[in-house]
């Protein structure tokens, strides 16, 4: 299985400040069809996960533009330009290139 | 607006079969544009992708569960179903139905206990 490794696992951030989460995969996530299936999910306390970003950098509908994704190959990043209170939760990266699809361990974002 | 709703017993005995249904509303369950999946999350832990069902009925099962998992679709009921046999306490988790990863149900908590 492809191992997804996130860092940091805990991320205390001051309101209005930027935040960044790294996700590294044990194999390249470049698919033979030309796409890279790397997704980012947000799970707020007590809620189902919500996809924020798919194919590395495409934001889902309704996702604020303060969220951005980047990367290629095995190295990916989720950035929040200015953290707001509603961003508290656990963030997961997930690869959809190799079966079985796998998730990172999660990064717990909290307000400092 | 597409909605997914999981349903099934909240308590299953060890060695029995866990059976869940995901009812889809607000969209078609039969489209080649999408796939359906089941994901689980043990209490306080991370996410595990269990199975995927594609248009036409083909399936992929996580090798860690493959011998115990079956996913099927009933288009007349707009339902995707999950069966997991020979359950143990390790199968206690919130079970989510998803479409592509972009749409999630609210999840249903299944506890395995005698």
């Amino acid at each position: 299985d492809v191992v997804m490794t996130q860092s940091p696992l805990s991320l205390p951030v001051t309101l209005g400040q930027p935040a960044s989460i790294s996700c590294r995969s044990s194999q390249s996530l470049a698919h033979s069809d030309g796409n890279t299936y790397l997704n980012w999910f947000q799970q707020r306390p007590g809620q189902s996960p919500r996809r924020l970003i798919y194919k590395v950098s495409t934001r889902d509908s309704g996702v604020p533009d303060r969220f951005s994704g980047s990367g290629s190959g095995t190295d990916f990043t989720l950035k929040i330009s200015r953290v707001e209170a509603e961003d508290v939760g656990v963030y997961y990266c997930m690869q959809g290139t190799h079966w079985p699809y796998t998730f990172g361990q999660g990064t717990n974002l909290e307000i400092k | 607006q597409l909605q997914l709703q999981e349903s099934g017993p909240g308590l299953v005995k060890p060695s029995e079969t866990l059976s869940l249904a995901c009812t889809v509303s607000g969209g078609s369950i039969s489209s080649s544009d999408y796939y359906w999946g089941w994901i689980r999350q043990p209490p306080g832990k991370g996410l595990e992708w269990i199975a995927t069902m594609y248009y036409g009925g083909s399936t992929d099962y996580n090798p860690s569960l493959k011998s115990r998992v079956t996913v099927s679709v009933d288009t007349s009921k707009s339902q995707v179903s999950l069966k997991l046999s020979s359950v143990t306490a390790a199968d206690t988790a919130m079970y989510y139905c998803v479409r592509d990863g972009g749409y999630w149900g609210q999840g249903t908590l299944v506890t395995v206990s005698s």
Side-chain angles (χ1 to χ4, degrees), chain A residues 41 43 48-49 51 92 99 103, chain B residues 41 47 52 61 96 101 105-106:
Chain A
F41 293 86
Q43 187 173 29
S48 303
R51 194 177 66 186
Y92 296 94
W99 183 256
F103 293 86
Chain B
Q41 184 174 34
L47 298 156
T52 299
Y61 297 132
Y96 296 102
Q106 66 187 33

Side-chain angles (χ1 to χ4, degrees), chain A residues 29-48:
Chain A
L29 301 185
H31 196 280
S32 56
D33 67 4
N35 293 305
T36 298
Y37 296 101
L38 186 284
N39 306 303
W40 288 98
F41 293 86
Q42 174 195 61
Q43 187 173 29
R44 290 172 172 152
Q47 294 187 12
S48 303

Side-chain angles (χ1 to χ4, degrees), chain A residues 35-101:
Chain A
N35 293 305
T36 298
Y37 296 101
L38 186 284
N39 306 303
W40 288 98
F41 293 86
Q42 174 195 61
Q43 187 173 29
R44 290 172 172 152
Q47 294 187 12
S48 303
R50 164 201 183 195
R51 194 177 66 186
L52 301 174
I53 303 268
Y54 61 96
K55 287 195 276 188
V56 180
S57 60
T58 302
R59 271 191 305 276
D60 272 276
S61 175
V63 174
D65 61 7
R66 64 178 183 277
F67 290 92
S68 64
S70 63
S72 64
T74 61
D75 206 343
F76 304 92
T77 303
L78 175 71
K79 291 184 178 177
I80 309 173
S81 58
R82 295 172 307 280
V83 170
E84 298 189 4
E86 65 178 18
D87 300 335
V88 165
V90 181
Y91 291 78
Y92 296 94
C93 60
M94 181 221 118
Q95 66 83 18
T97 297
H98 305 283
W99 183 256
Y101 303 151

Side-chain angles (χ1 to χ4, degrees), chain B residues 66-107:
Chain B
K66 186 173 184 177
S67 62
R68 300 194 290 130
V69 174
T70 304
V71 174
S72 60
V73 64
D74 185 335
T75 54
S76 66
K77 296 180 179 178
S78 283
Q79 286 184 341
V80 182
S81 296
L82 170 73
K83 291 187 186 300
L84 181 65
S85 64
S86 305
V87 298
T88 69
D91 296 309
T92 293
M94 185 73 81
Y95 286 77
Y96 296 102
C97 172
V98 301
R99 193 193 82 176
D100 284 348
Y103 288 90
W104 292 61
Q106 66 187 33

Side-chain angles (χ1 to χ4, degrees), chain B residues 46-64:
Chain B
L47 298 156
E48 179 182 34
W49 199 295
I50 302 169
T52 299
M53 168 161 273
Y54 303 94
Y55 179 75
S58 64
T59 53
D60 277 328
Y61 297 132
N62 192 316
S64 67

